[in-house]
Amino acid sequence: MKAEELFWDASIEELKKGYTEKGQHFVCLLCGRSSERGIVYEQQGVFYEAEKFMQLHLKEEHQSVFHHLMGLDKKLTGLTEHQKRLLRLFYEGKSDGEIREEMGIGSASTIRNHRFVLKEKERQAKLFLTLMELLKEHDHDEPAFIPIHPHARMIDDRYNVTEEESVKILHKYFPQGMEGKLASFPPKEKQRLIILRAAAERISPEKKYDEKEMNEVLAGVFDDYVLLRRYLIEYGFLAREKDGSAYWLKK
């Protein structure tokens, strides 16, 4: 199962931890990295069993689950930038007085109002999750949609694609199979999204590439690798240094 599928299928408790257990493996829900039970991992001269190593990975690579989730698009979190800033300050343990001073908020009642609105969103989310769980017991015709990758940009109807549609699009544009080259770059946004997801799978999540290395990887997908690279960045799959000296898959 792909990292984004694990992310969206995870329970709230798993999301809070940042990882899930799959067989003998602990898998990071934020980037897909895994550790295997029974194997000892060394980090800077210290040895860790698999679950402790995964916890260390989350801290060193993602800072925390909270910070990672705060970095997601508004369409995914439903939070405004103002609400995100407040949540960060609450998470840091700042007092209401410190928050008022830092954000230039005039009164304590304003902070209380913000806290009330956030609690209201929490109550609504609980009820909505319960309704959706109840719905699953009766809605037997619900199609399987492709999961939205956590760093997606411009989240709109282009993500309204089922797994069945995805398979057809991939078969059309990769006539030689998924290890072969892209026949052409699709004109429609939905089709591009599916193609870019497949192209991103050719990029190692554990490596930073220089421009030449990245071009070599993408040239194995499509002859116009510059176009492909640009769209991978635009759609939030790929990140790069401002000077183009390094590229990496977003986690």
Side-chain angles (χ1 to χ4, degrees):
M1 188 179 287
K2 297 173 184 175
E4 62 262 32
E5 293 173 335
L6 287 174
F7 182 89
W8 293 115
D9 286 345
S11 67
I12 291 177
E13 286 305 311
E14 287 174 325
L15 284 172
K16 283 169 62 180
K17 290 193 304 181
Y19 61 92
T20 185
E21 293 185 47
K22 289 294 178 184
Q24 293 298 307
H25 293 82
F26 297 95
V27 184
C28 177
L29 294 170
L30 311 185
C31 70
R33 185 171 181 179
S34 67
S35 58
E36 186 175 353
R37 194 187 299 273
I39 293 179
V40 176
Y41 296 83
E42 185 272 334
Q43 185 83 342
Q44 297 181 344
V46 180
F47 295 90
Y48 301 88
E49 55 87 22
E51 187 168 13
K52 287 291 185 182
F53 181 76
M54 181 53 61
Q55 293 167 355
L56 177 67
H57 160 77
L58 282 159
K59 182 178 180 180
E60 292 193 343
E61 294 295 325
H62 306 291
Q63 189 174 356
S64 72
V65 175
F66 180 89
H67 288 91
H68 181 86
L69 297 182
M70 282 291 97
L72 299 182
D73 190 273
K74 178 184 175 181
K75 285 286 188 77
L76 296 178
T77 64
L79 297 168
T80 65
E81 287 303 315
H82 186 72
Q83 289 172 329
K84 282 185 177 182
R85 189 177 178 192
L86 279 168
L87 281 172
R88 288 190 183 98
L89 293 171
F90 293 149
Y91 185 80
E92 292 169 4
K94 298 286 182 69
S95 69
D96 286 5
E98 290 172 323
I99 293 172
R100 278 169 34 217
E101 184 177 344
E102 185 165 336
M103 295 190 67
I105 295 173
S107 66
S109 63
T110 303
I111 299 289
R112 288 199 300 272
N113 288 337
H114 283 303
R115 287 186 183 274
F116 178 81
V117 170
L118 291 170
K119 291 298 292 184
E120 186 177 35
K121 287 178 74 71
E122 180 186 21
R123 290 190 290 268
Q124 290 170 343
K126 284 181 179 178
L127 291 178
F128 184 71
L129 285 173
T130 303
L131 287 169
M132 291 303 292
E133 286 298 316
L134 292 169
L135 179 61
K136 288 177 185 177
E137 299 174 9
H138 298 274
D139 185 6
H140 304 298
D141 294 322
E142 180 187 8
F145 291 97
I146 61 164
I148 300 174
H149 60 287
H151 290 285
R153 298 176 179 176
M154 304 171 291
I155 302 171
D156 51 28
D157 285 348
R158 76 191 73 193
Y159 286 89
N160 181 13
V161 182
T162 65
E163 293 288 356
E164 184 179 356
E165 290 174 314
S166 175
V167 170
K168 290 179 180 178
I169 292 168
L170 292 173
H171 182 73
K172 175 182 177 181
Y173 284 94
F174 287 97
Q176 298 177 349
M178 294 309 300
E179 299 301 318
K181 279 194 171 187
L182 188 62
S184 61
F185 197 70
K188 296 181 179 179
E189 297 289 348
K190 287 185 179 182
Q191 296 171 335
R192 288 177 181 174
L193 172 63
I194 299 303
I195 296 307
L196 293 170
R197 288 177 80 239
E201 291 179 14
R202 308 265 189 110
I203 304 169
S204 170
E206 306 298 331
K207 179 179 179 180
K208 274 195 173 184
Y209 298 79
D210 62 30
E211 185 171 342
K212 182 180 179 182
E213 290 172 329
M214 180 54 66
N215 290 344
E216 288 174 353
V217 172
L218 297 182
V221 182
F222 189 46
D223 290 334
D224 191 348
Y225 53 82
V226 175
L227 174 73
L228 187 58
R229 190 181 69 205
R230 177 164 61 84
Y231 274 101
L232 283 167
I233 293 170
E234 183 177 323
Y235 274 70
F237 289 99
L238 197 63
R240 68 171 181 174
E241 298 289 356
K242 290 184 178 180
D243 62 0
S245 60
Y247 294 80
W248 62 93
L249 198 65
K250 278 193 171 182
K251 298 179 180 180

